[in-house]
Amino acid sequence: MSIEVRNLTKIYGEQKAIDGITFTVANAEIVGFLGPNGAGKSTTMKIITGYLQPDKGEAFVCRVSVKDHPLEIKKKIGYLPEGNPLYYDMYVKEYLDFVADLHGIKSKKQKISEVTSMVGLETESRKKIGQLSKGFKQRVGLAASLIHDPEVLVLDEPTTGLDPNQILEIRDVIKKLGGHKTVLFSSHILQEVEAICDRVLIIDKGRLVIDSKLSSLRNEQTNHTIQVTFKEAIETGWLENLHGVDTVIKITAYQWELQSEKTEEVKKQLMELTLQHNLNIVSLQNESRSLEEVFRRLTKSDIPG
């Protein structure tokens, strides 16, 4: 495993920022890290990268203990923190040269050229960082996290401040990196997570509530809800009496939503119901939920962050 987190807990005063989190991220896997604002995502990332110490638990990067070998794991990690702190008085190439020196890179000129090209910074590379737009400043931070060719990337809101075209470009960069690097990234843009990731972690109030493949998560949420529309108006009791139905939601006298863990069995009973009462079904389907709807249901929050 490239990242392994075991029972991490971090407490600020009386508040548990993270509460016993455990998960792993495999080699060359791209994993999205989601949660409401204040859920503990950034705190978890800071512990993984060695910038914070947990109160309990352990973190490992490429099987190396973050606590016991903080400098060694920093060589293996490329980290783009939330807020992306930069030296605004330095030129882009000057700053990347400085970062390359910190990592002891010998072929600095070649590496700087590679990363500026990779993140689309060529046209801005001779400017001072303070002169750049927010989007290009974000690219500088991403370039700095890549310059030492790390095995693991931890990216906290990597597309913050980018316009739609820039988001697509950085998304493509992350996808390509995922072919040979491990990537853990948080994002406010759920469509971005769906486009890049195969797997998602959702954290809420410091606790991990979901660790799932996106395909499995969608299927799990979809398969518990049935939407049915009748040609005729029907009575609530007819649906409530069906075996295996947990909840009946009336949309109109003709349209209904049924929640059940036995959706296929319920569908068969609905067909039998139409014969018993001489009804006609206009549509019958499992409800499709987007990742945003799943997120809201699991965290009871309207704003991912």
Side-chain angles (χ1 to χ4, degrees):
M1 292 294 172
S2 289
I3 298 174
E4 185 176 0
V5 165
R6 301 177 186 170
N7 300 311
L8 282 189
T9 297
K10 183 66 178 178
I11 302 172
Y12 296 112
E14 297 181 356
Q15 179 184 359
K16 280 189 177 180
I18 51 175
D19 186 4
I21 291 176
T22 296
F23 64 83
T24 60
V25 182
N27 297 338
E29 186 178 22
I30 303 178
V31 174
F33 199 23
L34 301 174
N37 288 325
K41 301 185 305 301
S42 293
T43 297
T44 303
M45 289 178 156
K46 288 174 183 176
I47 291 173
I48 292 170
T49 52
Y51 288 88
L52 277 179
Q53 288 293 322
D55 293 305
K56 295 180 182 178
E58 296 179 280
F60 299 85
V61 175
C62 300
R63 303 188 185 280
V64 177
S65 168
V66 175
K67 180 180 179 181
D68 295 338
H69 304 282
L71 287 180
E72 185 176 343
I73 67 101
K74 285 180 172 64
K75 296 176 183 177
K76 299 178 181 293
I77 289 179
Y79 178 39
L80 178 62
E82 184 182 25
N84 187 21
L86 297 167
Y87 294 109
Y88 284 9
D89 288 337
M90 296 181 77
Y91 291 92
V92 172
K93 283 192 172 181
E94 180 187 12
Y95 174 69
L96 294 178
D97 185 90
F98 166 69
V99 175
D101 280 340
L102 292 177
H103 287 287
I105 296 171
K106 296 180 180 179
S107 52
K108 291 190 298 182
K109 188 174 181 180
Q110 179 183 344
K111 289 301 298 182
I112 291 171
S113 177
E114 287 177 4
V115 295
T116 52
S117 175
M118 188 181 299
V119 303
L121 263 176
E122 301 100 322
T123 59
E124 310 295 313
S125 62
R126 296 185 182 278
K127 292 182 180 179
K128 282 190 174 183
I129 294 173
Q131 296 175 315
L132 302 179
S133 68
K134 186 175 181 181
F136 277 110
K137 287 172 184 170
Q138 197 72 357
R139 292 180 187 227
V140 173
L142 185 56
S145 72
L146 292 169
I147 199 163
H148 57 299
D149 195 22
E151 298 174 53
V152 176
L153 284 172
V154 177
L155 310 176
D156 199 353
E157 305 291 347
T159 58
T160 295
L162 304 185
D163 65 36
N165 289 330
Q166 293 171 332
I167 288 173
L168 289 174
E169 291 169 4
I170 297 302
R171 182 187 296 174
D172 287 340
V173 170
I174 294 173
K175 276 186 177 180
K176 290 175 183 176
L177 292 170
H180 58 280
K181 295 184 186 297
T182 299
V183 182
L184 176 67
F185 81 100
S186 64
S187 176
H188 281 279
I189 306 170
L190 296 177
Q191 295 89 340
E192 182 174 284
V193 174
E194 290 185 284
I196 297 175
C197 301
D198 291 324
R199 179 167 155 239
V200 63
L201 305 169
I202 300 180
I203 186 175
D204 186 38
K205 298 176 183 176
R207 295 183 178 181
L208 194 67
V209 294
I210 282 291
D211 178 352
S212 175
K213 293 283 187 181
L214 271 176
S215 56
S216 300
L217 183 59
R218 289 195 197 97
N219 289 338
E220 179 184 341
Q221 300 300 321
T222 296
N223 289 340
H224 288 178
T225 304
I226 299 171
Q227 286 184 332
V228 58
T229 303
F230 295 91
K231 187 176 181 181
E232 302 82 9
I234 71 166
E235 299 176 14
T236 305
W238 291 354
L239 301 177
E240 289 178 337
N241 291 332
L242 297 179
H243 178 69
V245 172
D246 300 316
T247 306
V248 175
I249 300 172
K250 181 180 179 180
I251 301 171
T252 70
Y254 305 88
Q255 294 177 295
W256 301 80
E257 182 177 291
L258 311 179
Q259 295 180 354
S260 172
E261 294 185 2
K262 302 176 180 179
T263 54
E264 293 307 312
E265 182 180 335
V266 171
K267 285 181 181 179
K268 291 178 182 178
Q269 293 179 74
L270 285 169
M271 299 309 295
E272 293 171 0
L273 184 69
T274 61
L275 296 174
Q276 293 171 9
H277 297 279
N278 195 27
L279 301 171
N280 295 280
I281 290 179
V282 177
S283 67
L284 176 61
Q285 60 188 3
N286 287 8
E287 182 186 7
S288 177
R289 294 184 186 272
S290 67
L291 179 58
E292 182 176 0
E293 290 170 317
V294 172
F295 179 94
R296 289 179 178 178
R297 181 174 180 270
L298 291 170
T299 65
K300 295 180 175 60
S301 171
D302 290 332
I303 305 174

